[in-house]
Amino acid sequence: MQKLAIQGGAKLHGEVRISGAKNAALPIMCAALLSADELHLSNLPDMHDVATMEKLLQQMGVKISAVAQGATFNAANVDKLEAPYEMVKTMRAAILVLGPLLTRFGEARVSLPGGCAIGSRPVDLHIKGLQAMGAQIHIEHGYIHATAKRLQGARICFDLVSVTGTENLMMAATLADGVTILENAAREPEVVDLANCLLAMGAKITGAGTDTITIEGVRNLHGAAHRVMPDRIESGTFLVAAAATGGKITLTEARADIMENVLDKLREAGAHITVDGSRITLEMTARPTAVSLRTAPYPAFPTDMQAQFMALNTIAEGSAVMVETIFENRFMHVQELRRLGAQIEVEGNTAIVTGCAQLEGATIMATDLRASACLVIAGLVAQGETIVDRIYHLDRGYEHIEAKLSALGAQIRRIK
Ligand code: EPZ
C-alpha cells in the first residue's frame, strides 16, 4: 500500500500545467466504440482510470496505439461486447460503454457497477433511458444485459441530473433511428466536451451545455481528432492548496470560464485571482476566511470540490456551513480531518466547520478520490509530518500529483 509523507508549512509558489480532464477523457474514450474509423485523442491525462478504460476497451477488441501527446483508438474489429465485473468494480465510469455498444452493435453486457465510498451510485436512469429507446434490458448475476435491433429516438426526462446518465444516452442516441430529446440533462463542461467530439465524428447534436439536448440519429459516425479539455477539478484542487498554504501559483493550460463558481468562492475566502487567457493566478496573503457552500449540478458549486474546500475551512477564520446535496455519503474525509485536530460537526448532509489556527500532522487514510486530495491539502498546512495512506484513490484521478506539488515547493514524497 503506497503512502504520501507530507511535511506541512511550505507556501506553494510557481507554475503548474493542468492536465486533460478525467471526467471528459473517460466518456470520450468510450465514444471510440461508435465508429469503425480511427479516433485520435490528445491531452489524455496519465492516470489510473484512463489506463483502466484503455484496458477495458482493448479487451473488447479496440486497438489503441499511443502517439505523441495522446492515443489513437480503432474500434473496427470489436469482438467482445462485454465489460467484466473485475474491471467495472474499480472504475464505475465503465458503465459508459453501455450506450455505445448497444447503439452500434445491438447488444451489450456490462457489470452493474458496485457502490463506492461516497454513495450507492445507482444506474437506474441510464437503464430507464435506454429502455425508452427500445432496448430490452435484463439484470442477471450482477450484469446488465441489453439488446436492441436498432435504438429508436425518444423524449427522455431525467428524474435527477446525471452526468454519466446524460453522456450514456447522448452517445446511444447518435446512431438511433430518429430524434432523441434529453430533458433535465446535465450541463457539465465535460458533457459539452463529449458532444464536441461526437460532432467532429459526424453526430447531429444541439443544446449540449443546456438542460435540453437534442440528438438526430445518423447511420454511421466517422473518425475524428479531438483534444480533451483541461481538468477544472484538478485546477480547483491546486488553487485551494495554494490558498490554504498562503502561497502564489499560476495554472497554465487551464480554463477559468468553466469554474467561475469555484473562483468566486476562493475570492470570498480572501484569495486574489487574476485570469490571463489560459493562465489563472491565485495569491493568498492572509489567513483564509471560512466560506459556506452548497453543492449542486453545474453551473453551481461542484460536489467534486467540496472536500478540498473543507480542508481550507478547517484552518480558516470563522466557521462555514457546507451542504452536500449530490451524494449521500461524501463526508468520509471528516473523521480523517478530525485526527489532525479539525473542528467539524456533521448533521445529515450538512457539515459545520469551525476554523482553528493550526492542524497537527498525523497518519490518516484516503477513502475516495477527492477525499484524498482534501487530506493532502490538510497535510500541506498541518504542523509536522502527515502520512496519507491508501493513495491509490488519488492516483486514479490526478496526474503525477506529488511531482506537481513538489515542483510548487511542497515537502511531499511517496513511500512504499
Ligand atoms: C459524475 O459521476 C462524475 N464522474 C463524478 O466525479 C461527479 O462527482 C458526479 O458526476 C457529479 O458531478 C464521472 O464523470 C466519471 P451522477 P456520475 O450520475 O455520473 C444519482 C470524481 O471525483 N443517480 O451525476 O456517476 C447519483 O446517485 C467523480 O471525479 C441516480 O440516482 O454522477 C447521485 O446522487 C466522483 N441514478 C446523483 O444522481 C442514476 O442512474 C448524481 O450522480 C444516476 C445517478
Side-chain angles (χ1 to χ4, degrees), residues 24 35 47 56 61 107 143 214 261 275 336 383 408-409:
S35 169
M47 57 179 62
L56 175 64
E107 185 174 5
Y143 276 78
T214 303
N261 198 300
V275 175
E336 300 304 312
Q383 191 162 42
L408 293 172

Side-chain angles (χ1 to χ4, degrees), residues 12-30:
L12 299 191
H13 57 276
E15 282 195 5
V16 57
R17 179 191 168 275
I18 295 303
S19 307
K22 168 177 84 79
N23 291 349
L26 296 176
I28 287 169
M29 289 162 78
C30 296

Side-chain angles (χ1 to χ4, degrees), residues 22-23 26-27 92-93 96 118 120-127 160-165 167 188 232 303-304 325-328 330 369-370:
K22 168 177 84 79
N23 291 349
L26 296 176
R92 310 177 26 72
L96 286 163
I118 64 178
S120 60
R121 312 291 295 277
V123 289
D124 55 305
L125 301 178
H126 299 238
I127 290 168
L160 276 170
V161 173
S162 167
V163 175
T164 49
E167 291 165 345
E188 269 68 4
R232 63 192 168 100
T303 174
D304 290 349
T325 72
I326 304 289
F327 291 110
E328 67 266 29
R330 205 169 196 175
L369 171 55
R370 306 307 174 180

Side-chain angles (χ1 to χ4, degrees), residues 151-211:
L151 291 177
Q152 300 300 312
R155 190 187 64 75
I156 298 160
C157 184
F158 284 89
D159 302 343
L160 276 170
V161 173
S162 167
V163 175
T164 49
T166 300
E167 291 165 345
N168 230 339
L169 293 175
M170 183 164 72
M171 287 192 280
T174 56
L175 297 178
D177 180 13
V179 176
T180 298
I181 301 175
L182 303 180
E183 294 178 337
N184 199 24
R187 297 158 44 181
E188 269 68 4
E190 293 75 22
V191 173
V192 176
D193 206 36
L194 170 63
N196 290 338
C197 179
L198 294 170
L199 286 165
M201 294 169 74
K204 292 184 175 157
I205 302 172
T206 55
T210 75
D211 62 3

